C-alpha cells in the first residue's frame, strides 16, 4: 500500500513538473510575442514556447530535485505510514 502511495505521489510530481515547464515556456513566449508583435506574435511565440517546453519536459522527466525529494522523504513517509 505504501508503494502505491509513493508511485502516485511521484506521478503527481512529474505531472506538476510537466505542467509548470510547459505552461511557463508558453507564457513567456506569448508575453514576448505580444510585446513585440501583437496577437500574431503572441500566438507564434506561444506555440514556439509550448514546443520548446514540451521538448525540455520530455528530455528531462526525472530531474535531480524530484529524485532528491523521493530519496529524502521515503524514509519519513514510511515512518509515518507505519
Amino acid at each position: 500500500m505504501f508503494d502505491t502511495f509513493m508511485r502516485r505521489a511521484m506521478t503527481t510530481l512529474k505531472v506538476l513538473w510537466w505542467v509548470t515547464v510547459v505552461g511557463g515556456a508558453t507564457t513567456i513566449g506569448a508575453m514576448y510575442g505580444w510585446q513585440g508583435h501583437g496577437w500574431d506574435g503572441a500566438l507564434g511565440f506561444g506555440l514556439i514556447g509550448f514546443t520548446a517546453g514540451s521538448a525540455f519536459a520530455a528530455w528531462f522527466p526525472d530531474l535531480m530535485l524530484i529524485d532528491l525529494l523521493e530519496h529524502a522523504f521515503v524514509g519519513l513517509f514510511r515512518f509515518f505510514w507505519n
Side-chain angles (χ1 to χ4, degrees), residues 2-3 5-7 9-10 13 64-82:
F2 177 75
D3 295 331
F5 168 75
M6 286 305 295
R7 270 198 326 263
M10 290 309 298
L13 281 175
M64 295 295 286
L65 177 64
I66 293 173
D67 288 338
L68 178 66
L69 287 173
E70 179 184 10
H71 293 298
F73 292 112
V74 164
L76 184 65
F77 287 144
R78 192 176 302 270
F79 173 76
F80 284 121
W81 192 270
N82 292 327

Side-chain angles (χ1 to χ4, degrees), residues 31-74:
M31 286 177 20
Y32 179 76
W34 176 261
Q35 288 178 351
H37 307 286
W39 281 104
D40 297 335
L43 289 173
F45 280 100
L47 182 62
I48 291 170
F50 179 80
T51 305
S54 297
F56 184 78
W59 284 332
F60 301 105
D62 295 332
L63 282 182
M64 295 295 286
L65 177 64
I66 293 173
D67 288 338
L68 178 66
L69 287 173
E70 179 184 10
H71 293 298
F73 292 112
V74 164

Side-chain angles (χ1 to χ4, degrees), residues 10-45:
M10 290 309 298
T11 301
T12 303
L13 281 175
K14 289 177 185 179
V15 167
L16 287 174
W17 160 249
W18 191 88
V19 168
T20 302
V21 169
V22 173
T26 304
T27 303
I28 290 171
M31 286 177 20
Y32 179 76
W34 176 261
Q35 288 178 351
H37 307 286
W39 281 104
D40 297 335
L43 289 173
F45 280 100

